[in-house]
Amino acid sequence: MKKNETERTPNVSRRSLLGGAATAAVALVQNALAKGWPAMAVQVGISQYELKLLDDPTRVPGLPPGEVGTRSAFEKLVKKPSDISSRSPLQDLHGIITPSDLHFERHHNGIPTVDPARYELTIHGLVHRPTVFSLADLKRFPSVSRIAFLECSGNFRTGKETMSPQEIAGLTSQSEWTGVKLSTLFREVGVKPSATWFLAEGGDAARMTRSIPVQKGFDDALIAYAQNGEALRPEQGYPVRLFLPGWEGNMSVKWLRRLELGDAPWHTREETSKYTEPVRAPGGGPGKIRQFSFEMDARSLITYPAYPAQVERGWIEIRGLAWSGRGKVVRVEVSTDAGRSWQVAELQQPVLDKAHVRFRHLWRWDGAETEICSRVTDETGYTQPTLKQLIDARGPDTGGYHLNPITPWVLKADGRVFHKPQNWR
Ligand SMILES: Nc1nc2c(c(=O)[nH]1)N[C@H]1C(S)=C(S)[C@@H](COP(=O)(O)O)O[C@H]1N2
Ligand SMILES: [Mo]
């Protein structure tokens, strides 16, 4: 071997690669091949024939097991972060569970590092027994798991044709959340009958605080410490977050450190100047501000075919997600003629309460340009509106929160798919 080659790849020699004993070296080359670097193998003097052998996974031993699993190097899944948020790549995902490392993120002042050994949750105010719980204390209570979505109420963007599901609506994700029911803790501390609201406070630099009706705490609120079978990710609130199924993401306070029981809402920044929506007064006249709009309205979105996919004429399985913060999805309809006619799509089991549901609709595309879209109806009878219906109801200044419009895709004759920008401001 020439000297300069040894310098470039100090741990790999032609001999160790082809000798068969050096599994690690083989693994290295396999990895290199997976990443599309056959040049590296060539560098250490492997012939095209030998390279072909190494490229055949039935001719060389595979990689040994690792400490943790890895995603295939061929799968490029990214959340495309900005400074304040990152979005789930909905167009690349299957089924209903979002892989934890692809859960969307929204941080108002960064991700704090919280030491689980020093973690404390204080519950005080209108309670008989004010209590400080450690993480170990919380884990001693009966634990429950449920699959539910989490969606930011600011989850709608539009404006240009080249927008993917991720860019339009990637601020929603779904996990199996595990923790202790808040109702269990409420009974433990003895919430007084006079308590009607509680304040949840985060232990991050934003010190996020929200007022929440006590009733939600007794209904289905969860003090979550796990996500998809492991401890919460730091991005999702490690070690403990509040999780309010079906309600706007902002209220599911991460890095939760304090709950205070009271008899009125606190009117924090996050429920006055933010997370409120101007609405037009009925019959015109001066508008009002809608405050405490907790529930996420039912929504659906076709995730395939969608930008940037390109399809061929013939049979296409239209796929997407539908969900409602008010309960179960009962029906998803798909239109392949710009909303003139609608067909009922198939719902994939399980159809869970306040959860993303996958829908499918088999369709034969004749190759002519058209528009496809979906609309959902939930168990309260609510049907997903168009953006025009939303604006007509709320007025043009409705802001960016709680927008769940039907989202059409334009299918061009060449098979390319584009978002249909919905200009409304
Ligand atoms: N403490 C704290 N909790 C928080 C936030 C925050 O910045 N700090 N962001 C909120 C917002 S706006 C949303 S949409 C969700 C996002 O949760 P995720 O990052 O786990 O997806 O957390 C909420 N809880
Ligand atoms: Mo949010």
Side-chain angles (χ1 to χ4, degrees):
M1 178 171 288
K2 280 180 255 148
K3 186 163 176 286
N4 63 341
E5 283 171 347
T6 324
E7 275 165 11
R8 257 179 288 161
T9 50
N11 297 321
V12 191
S13 71
R14 183 176 190 280
R15 195 165 177 195
S16 69
L17 274 172
L18 300 175
T23 319
V26 171
L28 218 140
V29 169
Q30 283 191 335
N31 240 332
L33 287 169
K35 286 177 182 144
W37 304 333
M40 179 187 158
V42 174
Q43 236 176 45
V44 295
I46 298 172
S47 73
Q48 285 304 310
Y49 173 70
E50 289 162 338
L51 187 62
K52 238 196 160 96
L53 286 186
L54 285 172
D55 199 18
D56 176 354
T58 69
R59 305 296 294 265
V60 286
L63 299 174
E67 296 269 352
V68 290
T70 57
R71 185 162 290 136
S72 163
F74 295 102
E75 298 297 321
K76 305 278 182 240
L77 295 169
V78 289
K79 294 203 272 188
K80 297 193 177 167
S82 70
D83 286 351
I84 58 165
S85 66
S86 66
R87 295 160 175 266
S88 289
L90 302 177
Q91 66 283 352
D92 301 323
L93 302 180
H94 307 274
I96 56 169
I97 299 291
T98 311
S100 299
D101 63 353
L102 295 172
H103 195 287
F104 87 86
E105 297 172 42
R106 174 72 180 97
H107 319 301
H108 289 245
N109 207 349
I111 307 162
T113 302
V114 181
D115 178 353
R118 282 164 44 204
Y119 172 79
E120 285 181 348
L121 173 63
T122 301
I123 307 186
H124 68 130
L126 295 176
V127 301
H128 291 292
R129 295 172 291 278
T131 309
V132 178
F133 298 93
S134 69
L135 183 57
D137 293 337
L138 294 177
K139 288 182 177 171
R140 285 184 66 187
F141 289 101
S143 100
V144 294
S145 297
R146 80 175 284 174
I147 294 171
F149 75 85
L150 181 73
E151 183 181 19
C152 177
S153 56
N155 190 23
F156 177 59
R157 290 202 305 191
T158 183
K160 57 177 190 201
E161 288 186 326
T162 52
M163 290 178 80
S164 64
Q166 176 174 32
E167 289 160 311
I168 297 164
L171 296 176
T172 188
S173 306
Q174 177 149 288
S175 302
E176 183 196 48
W177 302 97
T178 298
V180 49
K181 283 182 181 171
L182 184 50
S183 59
T184 306
L185 298 184
F186 275 1
R187 289 187 185 102
E188 183 71 14
V189 298
V191 166
K192 292 182 178 168
S194 55
T196 50
W197 290 78
F198 69 95
L199 184 79
E201 181 185 75
D204 55 335
R207 259 164 292 143
M208 171 72 60
T209 43
R210 286 295 305 255
S211 308
I212 299 152
V214 162
Q215 192 54 52
K216 182 69 174 173
F218 280 115
D219 283 351
D220 62 0
L222 197 62
I223 301 297
Y225 45 74
Q227 172 189 10
N228 297 334
E230 61 173 332
L232 292 183
R233 299 260 162 159
E235 300 83 0
Q236 265 68 62
Y238 182 86
V240 174
R241 86 178 300 164
L242 179 62
F243 183 75
L244 303 178
W247 286 21
E248 61 181 15
N250 182 262
M251 307 178 74
S252 283
V253 174
K254 301 188 278 190
W255 313 292
L256 184 68
R257 70 167 183 186
R258 187 169 73 92
L259 297 175
E260 180 178 350
L261 280 291
D263 57 8
W266 279 255
H267 298 288
T268 70
R269 173 180 179 273
E270 253 53 59
E271 55 207 25
T272 49
S273 86
K274 306 287 174 207
Y275 300 100
T276 51
E277 304 88 43
V279 283
R280 175 183 282 162
K288 290 192 171 182
I289 300 293
R290 187 169 80 147
Q291 194 188 16
F292 301 125
S293 30
F294 301 137
E295 284 153 323
M296 295 306 295
D297 297 315
R299 186 165 184 185
S300 73
L301 179 73
I302 292 174
T303 56
Y304 181 85
Y307 179 82
Q310 181 158 11
V311 294
E312 287 171 26
R313 76 177 59 191
W315 290 105
I316 294 174
E317 188 177 66
I318 295 174
R319 300 171 188 151
L321 291 170
W323 62 98
S324 168
R326 293 201 179 81
K328 285 185 180 167
V329 164
V330 295
R331 188 168 55 253
V332 175
E333 295 158 287
V334 167
S335 173
T336 54
D337 57 6
R340 274 181 289 279
S341 68
W342 296 86
Q343 283 84 46
V344 175
E346 198 180 317
L347 298 184
Q348 179 176 292
Q349 296 298 323
V351 177
L352 301 169
D353 190 37
K354 300 169 186 169
H356 284 173
V357 175
R358 190 151 287 273
F359 68 85
R360 293 190 295 247
H361 177 67
L362 196 56
W363 171 55
R364 190 167 197 165
W365 181 43
D366 61 11
E369 176 165 331
T370 188
E371 237 177 80
I372 60 171
C373 55
S374 64
R375 71 177 180 206
V376 60
T377 301
D378 71 13
E379 65 181 338
T380 68
Y382 172 95
T383 297
Q384 183 180 10
T386 60
L387 188 61
K388 183 174 181 314
Q389 287 170 328
L390 277 171
I391 303 307
D392 286 350
R394 291 191 207 154
D397 308 320
T398 186
Y401 300 118
H402 290 279
L403 295 172
N404 58 322
I406 292 174
T407 305
W409 298 100
V410 178
L411 197 48
K412 303 275 191 200
D414 64 3
R416 287 182 304 155
V417 190
F418 292 101
H419 173 53
K420 189 180 181 191
Q422 313 197 50
N423 295 312
W424 51 284
R425 283 188 206 258

